């Protein structure tokens, strides 16, 4: 485990999507990456509980994105196509996308990170014939999604359940509704 101290850190936000470059090297190899620093929590304000991004009340407004391309269906044909929906957010005066029941390629999240677009990430849902047998698979897939995408500063919310025919089968601990959200609850703010 390695710790990095960042003096006078700049927090990532939609208004300032600051990303730090990172290079880790050994005598025989090197890896480059990036990271962003931010916090996200709920805080009590004069009108109830509100989202706090980096300790500040932040109004998040966006659209539902199903990431569908006419010339690639659920696979973007080019990097420009992959970035298009993320880039469109600012065009409409918005700052957020709810990625609807799909996990996109890493590159899509990089576009969100660099452009300062907040992502509400849905878990892919099981439609029809959800049963006790499919519950452990759902929980395993949710944990894999979180593990694969958790380092993106743009992802502020993970949505475990979206459709009623999915969560209704989560009725027996540890795979009740609270247990189904466990992979998300273990994340740091």
């Amino acid at each position: 485990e390695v710790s990095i101290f960042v003096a006078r850190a700049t927090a990532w936000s939609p208004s300032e999507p600051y990303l730090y470059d990172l290079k880790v090297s050994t005598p025989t190899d090197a890896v480059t990456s990036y990271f962003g620093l931010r916090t996200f929590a709920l805080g009590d304000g004069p009108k109830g509980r509100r989202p706090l991004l980096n300790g500040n009340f932040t109004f998040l407004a966006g659209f539902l994105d199903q990431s569908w391309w006419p010339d690639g269906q659920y696979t973007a044909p080019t990097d420009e196509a992959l970035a298009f929906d993320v880039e469109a957010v600012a065009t409409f005066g918005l700052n957020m996308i709810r990625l609807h029941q799909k996990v996109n390629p890493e590159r899509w999240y990089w576009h969100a990170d660099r452009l300062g677009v907040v992502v509400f990430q849905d878990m892919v849902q099981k439609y029809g014939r959800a049963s006790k047998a499919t519950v452990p698979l759902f929980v395993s897939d949710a944990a894999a999604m979180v593990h694969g995408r958790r380092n993106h500063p743009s992802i502020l919310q993970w949505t475990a359940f979206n459709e009623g025919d999915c969560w209704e089968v989560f009725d027996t601990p540890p795979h009740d509704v609270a247990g189904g959200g466990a992979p998300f609850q273990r994340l740091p703010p």
Side-chain angles (χ1 to χ4, degrees):
E1 186 173 308
V2 175
S3 296
I4 300 171
F5 175 76
V6 179
R8 293 173 291 208
T10 301
W12 181 95
S13 71
S15 61
E16 188 177 358
Y18 193 86
L19 298 172
Y20 291 88
D21 291 323
L22 176 67
K23 182 176 181 179
V24 178
S25 58
T26 68
T28 58
D29 200 4
V31 176
T32 59
S33 188
Y34 71 93
F35 65 95
L37 300 172
R38 58 109 180 114
T39 61
F40 187 63
L42 291 176
D44 293 321
K47 296 184 180 185
R49 296 194 59 112
R50 306 287 176 146
L52 296 172
L53 179 58
N54 303 318
N56 300 309
F57 291 107
T58 305
F59 183 76
L60 300 171
F63 54 78
L64 183 80
D65 184 329
Q66 294 186 316
S67 294
W68 189 87
W69 296 271
D71 47 352
Q73 295 191 11
Y74 292 107
T75 302
T78 64
D79 188 54
E80 292 77 20
L82 193 63
F84 182 82
D85 290 350
V86 181
E87 292 169 343
V89 170
T91 304
F92 292 99
L94 305 171
N95 61 4
M96 185 268 295
I97 288 178
R98 176 177 161 210
L99 187 54
H100 187 57
Q101 300 188 28
K102 182 175 190 279
V103 180
N104 271 340
E106 284 283 341
R107 186 78 172 171
W108 186 91
Y109 299 91
W110 176 77
H111 289 302
D113 291 343
R114 74 179 175 83
L115 294 170
V117 175
V118 168
V119 176
F120 287 6
Q121 175 67 58
D122 281 6
M123 174 56 191
V124 177
Q125 305 293 292
K126 167 77 170 100
Y127 290 106
R129 296 189 300 275
S131 68
K132 300 284 185 207
T134 63
V135 168
L137 300 172
F138 179 94
V139 172
S140 175
D141 286 349
M145 177 185 71
V146 169
H147 179 75
R149 301 295 184 266
R150 69 177 180 227
N151 290 323
H152 289 280
S154 58
I155 301 176
L156 298 189
Q157 175 177 298
W158 301 89
T159 305
F161 302 110
N162 180 52
E163 306 292 342
D165 64 344
C166 178
W167 65 264
E168 290 170 343
V169 298
F170 283 80
D171 59 5
T172 307
H175 299 302
D176 53 0
V177 171
F184 310 104
Q185 294 168 345
R186 289 190 287 268
L187 292 169

